[in-house]
Short mmCIF file of all heavy atoms in Angstrom, two decimals:
data_model
loop_
_atom_site.label_atom_id
_atom_site.label_comp_id
_atom_site.label_asym_id
_atom_site.label_seq_id
_atom_site.Cartn_x
_atom_site.Cartn_y
_atom_site.Cartn_z
N ASN A 255 -44.83 50.90 -49.25
CA ASN A 255 -45.40 52.13 -49.80
C ASN A 255 -44.40 53.00 -50.54
O ASN A 255 -44.69 54.14 -50.87
CB ASN A 255 -46.13 52.94 -48.70
CG ASN A 255 -45.20 53.34 -47.56
OD1 ASN A 255 -44.00 53.49 -47.75
ND2 ASN A 255 -45.77 53.52 -46.38
N ILE A 256 -43.20 52.47 -50.78
CA ILE A 256 -42.24 53.14 -51.64
C ILE A 256 -42.23 52.35 -52.95
O ILE A 256 -41.91 51.16 -52.97
CB ILE A 256 -40.83 53.15 -51.02
CG1 ILE A 256 -40.91 53.87 -49.67
CG2 ILE A 256 -39.83 53.84 -51.94
CD1 ILE A 256 -39.69 53.69 -48.82
N LYS A 257 -42.60 52.98 -54.02
CA LYS A 257 -42.83 52.28 -55.28
C LYS A 257 -41.58 51.50 -55.72
O LYS A 257 -40.48 52.03 -55.74
CB LYS A 257 -43.23 53.28 -56.37
CG LYS A 257 -43.77 52.63 -57.63
CD LYS A 257 -44.30 53.66 -58.60
CE LYS A 257 -44.99 52.99 -59.78
NZ LYS A 257 -44.07 52.14 -60.55
N ASP A 258 -41.82 50.21 -56.00
CA ASP A 258 -40.80 49.29 -56.52
C ASP A 258 -39.79 48.84 -55.47
O ASP A 258 -38.78 48.23 -55.81
CB ASP A 258 -40.05 49.91 -57.71
CG ASP A 258 -40.98 50.20 -58.88
OD1 ASP A 258 -41.88 49.38 -59.12
OD2 ASP A 258 -40.80 51.24 -59.54
N TYR A 259 -40.04 49.15 -54.18
CA TYR A 259 -39.14 48.71 -53.11
C TYR A 259 -39.95 48.08 -51.99
O TYR A 259 -41.09 48.48 -51.72
CB TYR A 259 -38.34 49.88 -52.53
CG TYR A 259 -37.31 50.46 -53.46
CD1 TYR A 259 -37.62 51.55 -54.28
CD2 TYR A 259 -36.02 49.94 -53.53
CE1 TYR A 259 -36.68 52.10 -55.14
CE2 TYR A 259 -35.06 50.49 -54.37
CZ TYR A 259 -35.40 51.57 -55.18
OH TYR A 259 -34.46 52.11 -56.02
N GLU A 260 -39.36 47.09 -51.33
CA GLU A 260 -39.92 46.53 -50.11
C GLU A 260 -38.81 46.53 -49.06
O GLU A 260 -37.72 46.02 -49.30
CB GLU A 260 -40.42 45.09 -50.33
CG GLU A 260 -41.61 45.01 -51.27
CD GLU A 260 -42.12 43.58 -51.44
OE1 GLU A 260 -41.58 42.68 -50.75
OE2 GLU A 260 -43.04 43.36 -52.25
N PHE A 261 -39.11 47.12 -47.89
CA PHE A 261 -38.10 47.24 -46.83
C PHE A 261 -38.57 46.56 -45.55
O PHE A 261 -39.67 46.83 -45.05
CB PHE A 261 -37.80 48.71 -46.54
CG PHE A 261 -37.10 49.42 -47.66
CD1 PHE A 261 -37.75 50.39 -48.41
CD2 PHE A 261 -35.77 49.12 -47.96
CE1 PHE A 261 -37.10 51.04 -49.45
CE2 PHE A 261 -35.11 49.77 -48.99
CZ PHE A 261 -35.78 50.74 -49.74
N GLY A 262 -37.73 45.68 -45.03
CA GLY A 262 -37.96 45.08 -43.73
C GLY A 262 -36.93 45.61 -42.74
O GLY A 262 -35.88 46.12 -43.14
N VAL A 263 -37.22 45.49 -41.45
CA VAL A 263 -36.31 45.97 -40.41
C VAL A 263 -36.09 44.87 -39.38
O VAL A 263 -37.05 44.29 -38.86
CB VAL A 263 -36.86 47.22 -39.69
CG1 VAL A 263 -35.90 47.67 -38.60
CG2 VAL A 263 -37.10 48.35 -40.69
N ARG A 264 -34.82 44.59 -39.10
CA ARG A 264 -34.46 43.60 -38.09
C ARG A 264 -33.55 44.28 -37.06
O ARG A 264 -32.49 44.78 -37.40
CB ARG A 264 -33.72 42.44 -38.74
CG ARG A 264 -33.22 41.38 -37.76
CD ARG A 264 -32.39 40.35 -38.48
NE ARG A 264 -31.84 39.35 -37.58
CZ ARG A 264 -30.96 38.44 -37.92
NH1 ARG A 264 -30.50 38.41 -39.16
NH2 ARG A 264 -30.50 37.58 -37.03
N VAL A 265 -33.98 44.31 -35.81
CA VAL A 265 -33.22 44.96 -34.73
C VAL A 265 -32.67 43.90 -33.79
O VAL A 265 -33.41 43.03 -33.32
CB VAL A 265 -34.09 45.97 -33.96
CG1 VAL A 265 -33.31 46.58 -32.81
CG2 VAL A 265 -34.59 47.07 -34.90
N ILE A 266 -31.37 43.99 -33.51
CA ILE A 266 -30.70 43.04 -32.62
C ILE A 266 -30.14 43.80 -31.43
O ILE A 266 -29.35 44.74 -31.61
CB ILE A 266 -29.56 42.30 -33.36
CG1 ILE A 266 -30.10 41.59 -34.60
CG2 ILE A 266 -28.85 41.32 -32.44
CD1 ILE A 266 -29.05 41.04 -35.52
N ASN A 267 -30.53 43.44 -30.23
CA ASN A 267 -30.05 44.11 -29.02
C ASN A 267 -28.63 43.66 -28.68
O ASN A 267 -28.33 42.47 -28.67
CB ASN A 267 -30.98 43.81 -27.83
CG ASN A 267 -32.34 44.44 -28.01
OD1 ASN A 267 -32.46 45.52 -28.56
ND2 ASN A 267 -33.37 43.76 -27.56
N ILE A 268 -27.78 44.64 -28.39
CA ILE A 268 -26.39 44.37 -28.06
C ILE A 268 -26.04 45.05 -26.74
O ILE A 268 -26.16 46.27 -26.60
CB ILE A 268 -25.44 44.90 -29.17
CG1 ILE A 268 -25.74 44.23 -30.50
CG2 ILE A 268 -23.98 44.67 -28.78
CD1 ILE A 268 -25.50 42.74 -30.51
N ALA A 269 -25.62 44.27 -25.75
CA ALA A 269 -25.24 44.83 -24.46
C ALA A 269 -23.78 45.26 -24.44
O ALA A 269 -23.41 46.22 -23.77
CB ALA A 269 -25.51 43.82 -23.35
N ASN A 270 -22.94 44.54 -25.18
CA ASN A 270 -21.50 44.80 -25.16
C ASN A 270 -21.01 45.19 -26.55
O ASN A 270 -20.98 44.34 -27.46
CB ASN A 270 -20.77 43.55 -24.67
CG ASN A 270 -19.27 43.74 -24.57
OD1 ASN A 270 -18.75 44.81 -24.89
ND2 ASN A 270 -18.58 42.71 -24.14
N PRO A 271 -20.60 46.44 -26.77
CA PRO A 271 -20.12 46.86 -28.10
C PRO A 271 -18.94 46.03 -28.59
O PRO A 271 -18.74 45.89 -29.79
CB PRO A 271 -19.71 48.32 -27.87
CG PRO A 271 -20.47 48.77 -26.69
CD PRO A 271 -20.59 47.56 -25.81
N SER A 272 -18.16 45.46 -27.68
CA SER A 272 -17.00 44.67 -28.07
C SER A 272 -17.40 43.45 -28.90
O SER A 272 -16.61 42.96 -29.72
CB SER A 272 -16.22 44.19 -26.84
OG SER A 272 -15.69 45.29 -26.13
N SER A 273 -18.61 42.94 -28.68
CA SER A 273 -19.04 41.77 -29.43
C SER A 273 -19.18 42.06 -30.91
O SER A 273 -19.13 41.15 -31.74
CB SER A 273 -20.37 41.24 -28.87
OG SER A 273 -21.36 42.25 -28.92
N LEU A 274 -19.35 43.33 -31.27
CA LEU A 274 -19.42 43.70 -32.68
C LEU A 274 -18.04 43.80 -33.31
O LEU A 274 -17.90 43.69 -34.52
CB LEU A 274 -20.15 45.04 -32.83
CG LEU A 274 -21.66 45.02 -32.68
CD1 LEU A 274 -22.21 46.44 -32.61
CD2 LEU A 274 -22.30 44.28 -33.83
N VAL A 275 -17.03 44.02 -32.49
CA VAL A 275 -15.67 44.17 -33.00
C VAL A 275 -15.14 42.86 -33.53
O VAL A 275 -14.42 42.81 -34.53
CB VAL A 275 -14.73 44.72 -31.89
CG1 VAL A 275 -13.29 44.77 -32.39
CG2 VAL A 275 -15.19 46.10 -31.44
N GLU A 276 -15.50 41.77 -32.86
CA GLU A 276 -14.91 40.47 -33.15
C GLU A 276 -15.05 40.06 -34.61
O GLU A 276 -14.13 39.49 -35.21
CB GLU A 276 -15.56 39.41 -32.25
CG GLU A 276 -15.28 39.66 -30.76
CD GLU A 276 -16.10 38.76 -29.87
OE1 GLU A 276 -16.84 37.91 -30.42
OE2 GLU A 276 -16.01 38.89 -28.63
N ASN A 277 -16.21 40.32 -35.21
CA ASN A 277 -16.44 39.90 -36.58
C ASN A 277 -16.63 41.09 -37.52
O ASN A 277 -17.27 40.98 -38.56
CB ASN A 277 -17.68 38.99 -36.66
CG ASN A 277 -17.47 37.69 -35.93
OD1 ASN A 277 -16.51 36.97 -36.17
ND2 ASN A 277 -18.37 37.38 -35.01
N LEU A 278 -16.04 42.22 -37.14
CA LEU A 278 -16.23 43.44 -37.92
C LEU A 278 -15.76 43.28 -39.36
O LEU A 278 -16.42 43.73 -40.30
CB LEU A 278 -15.48 44.60 -37.26
CG LEU A 278 -15.59 45.96 -37.94
CD1 LEU A 278 -17.04 46.43 -37.96
CD2 LEU A 278 -14.73 46.99 -37.24
N GLU A 279 -14.64 42.62 -39.55
CA GLU A 279 -14.08 42.49 -40.90
C GLU A 279 -14.96 41.64 -41.81
O GLU A 279 -14.83 41.70 -43.03
CB GLU A 279 -12.67 41.90 -40.82
CG GLU A 279 -11.67 42.81 -40.12
CD GLU A 279 -10.26 42.25 -40.15
OE1 GLU A 279 -10.03 41.29 -40.90
OE2 GLU A 279 -9.40 42.78 -39.42
#
Side-chain angles (χ1 to χ4, degrees):
N255 60 27
I256 301 167
K257 193 173 187 299
D258 298 322
Y259 290 93
E260 293 182 4
F261 292 110
V263 179
R264 177 186 177 189
V265 177
I266 303 170
N267 293 325
I268 300 296
N270 182 359
S272 296
S273 58
L274 284 170
V275 175
E276 297 170 2
N277 295 306
L278 181 62
E279 294 185 12

